[in-house]
Amino acid sequence: MAVDYTVIVVYLAGMLAMGWWGMRRAKSKSEFLVAGRRLGPVMYSGTMAAIVLGGASTIGGVGLGYKYGLSGAWMVFTIGLGLLALSVFFSARIARLKVYTVSEMLDLRYGGRAGVISGVVMWAYTLMLAVTSTIAYATIFDVLFDMNRTLAIVLGGSIVVAYSTLGGMWSITLTDMVQFVVKTIGVLLLLLPIAVVKAGGFSGMKAKLPTSYFDPLGIGGETIFTYVLIYTFGMLIGQDIWQRVFTARDDRTARWGGTASGTYCLVYAVAGSVIGTAAKVLYPGLASPDDAFATIVKDELPIGVRGLVLAAALAAVMSTSSGALIACATVANNDIWSRLRGIVRPGGEEHDEVRGNRVFILIMGVGVIGTAIALNNVVEALTVAYNLLVGGLLVPILGGLLWKRGTVQGALAAVIVGGLAVIGLMAGYGILANEPVYYGLLASLAAYLVVSLATRPTDERVLAVWRDRLAGKSPELPSEPVPAHQ
């Protein structure tokens, strides 16, 4: 195991070194939060794939393959479909807006007053996404070092907080690109073929498993529909995803780079389900499907390769964790705190925006680590996050992009009604039930349509500014660099 340990330690040290390098580039708000909006197609597609394919997609995707066979690919597959839809239909327009958060987009489209409430909902989503990613460190470090759960969360979380705080989006972009390469090599090029061969090839797998394991719809139509509703639509509106779209240097990069990332996700989904199916042949009696990934890596891979594949799992977790962390901090600072500060101290003194965002990443990071230590049920936390996101924000965001008649009153009603409906229905039906997101989304849509039609249309001057931003005619306000003495 010494070789495996060395691989992991070198990898973690490299992540910190990239954080230090990124700090030298992050000299303005734009550089710190969206990498100066100048990523090309290769960097953009690699980092986008890295953030959407986290621990749930890797460890959880293999676990679903272990439990359901090839149809276990559907969770990650719907993530890929959402990324494809975002890239083809919306990403170019989103990138041209030159904003930093989803709530800023809502304010721009509806003429203000939608930001704080939508910001709170988005903050809750990004916080829980960061927490669930951070909890996954416990599983990986337990396999690597037989480490205590709390210590594992603190160690993994601290590394992510450190490089994210130092260099912001530049550090996260560089580390995500490395993580994308490591995941591709570790999961697709090494673990997948080795697992299939060890299980006796596809013919051997078919001979030892029920035919349901090879039914593409074996997981169930209702489950697939729920995945589409939560993950496909969730990809369209999440701050963590939009913040990556904002890094694209032009429309073409956002559209085609994102399309490449979405296609990669579809391949990754199938690979995870095949690995899980192979693990079912090799280890039919595992206590939990989520143990399948760690078990097959630990028992079937040679020394050195095992370290690289575990590094790939660690990369998957760290990329999602860091992306969710900077999204959480950006929303907390730009959509909530800056507005509250403006109310308390209107026209207040100028401040160093890069330093302020660093402080918020550090604060949010400590909060994420503490919450991850206290929380046990990852699935429930992630379900709450996505239910709130889709139930509260999907309608006003897509409505703003697609329907001219939508108003700020309709948007606020959709956020409030949808959010409260989801919370109430989760209390009644249970957190893991499908009904909360179904009915919550319908309630949000009804509120948006009725209130928008019952109120005065959005001011034409607001819509004119909106159209100019969508067309890329209004440049982003320059972000002042950090003073030299900083």
Side-chain angles (χ1 to χ4, degrees), residues 424-448:
L425 290 165
M426 283 192 294
Y429 284 98
I431 289 176
L432 298 180
N434 294 326
E435 287 83 359
V437 71
Y438 294 169
Y439 301 141
L441 190 55
L442 288 174
S444 179
L445 178 60
Y448 183 70

Side-chain angles (χ1 to χ4, degrees), residues 120 129 135 140 148 152 161 260 286:
V120 170
L129 186 62
I135 290 173
I140 298 170
N148 172 270
V161 171
L286 292 180

Side-chain angles (χ1 to χ4, degrees), residues 16 35 40 77 119 125 227 252 333 410:
L16 291 174
F77 203 84
Y125 157 73
Y227 284 158
R252 183 179 178 84
N333 189 16

Side-chain angles (χ1 to χ4, degrees), residues 35-356:
R37 305 189 194 275
R38 50 197 174 112
L39 295 190
V42 174
M43 290 284 283
Y44 178 87
S45 59
T47 56
M48 181 64 87
I51 188 176
V52 300
L53 296 174
S57 299
T58 304
I59 298 170
V62 171
L64 287 171
Y66 183 89
K67 186 174 182 179
Y68 297 105
L70 299 185
S71 66
W74 273 106
M75 183 186 78
V76 183
F77 203 84
T78 55
I79 290 173
L81 292 178
L83 190 50
L84 284 171
L86 174 71
S87 302
V88 172
F89 299 113
F90 300 108
S91 62
R93 283 186 286 174
I94 292 170
R96 287 197 295 266
L97 291 174
K98 303 296 184 186
V99 295
Y100 292 98
T101 68
V102 174
S103 295
E104 286 180 13
M105 167 264 168
L106 291 173
D107 276 351
L108 187 64
R109 164 60 181 82
Y110 294 110
R113 294 180 292 168
V116 173
I117 295 176
S118 62
V120 170
V121 175
M122 188 63 76
W123 175 79
Y125 157 73
T126 53
L127 176 70
M128 296 314 298
L129 186 62
V131 166
T132 54
S133 301
T134 302
I135 290 173
Y137 295 127
T139 301
I140 298 170
F141 282 111
D142 178 55
V143 175
L144 283 171
F145 308 116
D146 193 24
M147 187 178 289
N148 172 270
R149 178 182 184 274
T150 299
L151 183 59
I153 290 172
V154 171
L155 176 60
S158 296
I159 293 170
V160 169
V161 171
Y163 73 69
S164 300
T165 302
L166 285 172
M169 187 59 82
W170 268 121
S171 295
I172 293 171
T173 296
L174 293 169
T175 53
D176 278 0
M177 197 62 200
V178 173
Q179 288 157 359
F180 169 74
V181 173
V182 171
K183 277 191 286 192
T184 301
I185 296 172
V187 175
L188 297 185
L189 301 183
L190 293 177
L191 182 58
L192 175 61
I194 290 173
V196 171
V197 170
K198 293 278 188 179
F202 285 101
S203 58
M205 292 159 64
K206 286 185 176 180
K208 296 176 182 176
L209 294 173
T211 55
S212 62
Y213 266 71
F214 302 92
D215 179 0
L217 303 178
I219 199 169
E222 184 179 358
T223 299
I224 295 170
F225 178 72
T226 303
Y227 284 158
V228 170
L229 204 58
I230 293 178
Y231 297 114
T232 300
F233 286 115
M235 287 295 106
L236 298 180
I237 59 175
Q239 169 68 24
D240 51 324
I241 310 302
W242 277 40
Q243 199 156 343
R244 295 311 173 98
V245 176
F246 299 150
T247 66
R249 71 184 179 198
D250 52 36
D251 293 1
R252 183 179 178 84
T253 296
R255 183 179 291 112
W256 295 110
T259 301
S261 300
T263 304
Y264 179 91
C265 290
L266 302 183
V267 174
Y268 200 88
V270 175
S273 66
V274 172
I275 292 168
T277 304
K280 183 67 175 180
V281 172
L282 296 169
Y283 311 99
L286 292 180
S288 168
D290 286 342
D291 293 337
F293 180 88
T295 302
I296 196 169
V297 169
K298 185 167 61 175
D299 293 351
E300 301 298 336
L301 298 185
I303 294 174
V305 173
R306 179 171 51 204
L308 184 60
V309 174
L310 286 172
L314 192 58
V317 175
M318 294 180 85
S319 57
T320 301
S321 181
S322 59
L325 176 60
I326 193 171
C328 178
T330 302
V331 170
N333 189 16
N334 288 262
D335 293 337
I336 301 174
W337 171 243
S338 64
R339 297 167 195 265
L340 296 177
R341 186 179 62 229
I343 294 172
V344 176
R345 294 179 298 186
E349 73 278 2
E350 294 183 8
H351 63 287
D352 182 344
E353 291 189 285
V354 173
R355 181 179 178 184

Side-chain angles (χ1 to χ4, degrees), residues 369-394:
I369 292 172
T371 306
I373 292 171
L375 201 63
N376 287 318
N377 197 316
V378 181
V379 175
E380 288 191 358
L382 197 60
T383 302
V384 170
Y386 271 99
N387 282 354
L388 282 173
L389 177 71
V390 174
L393 292 180
L394 178 67

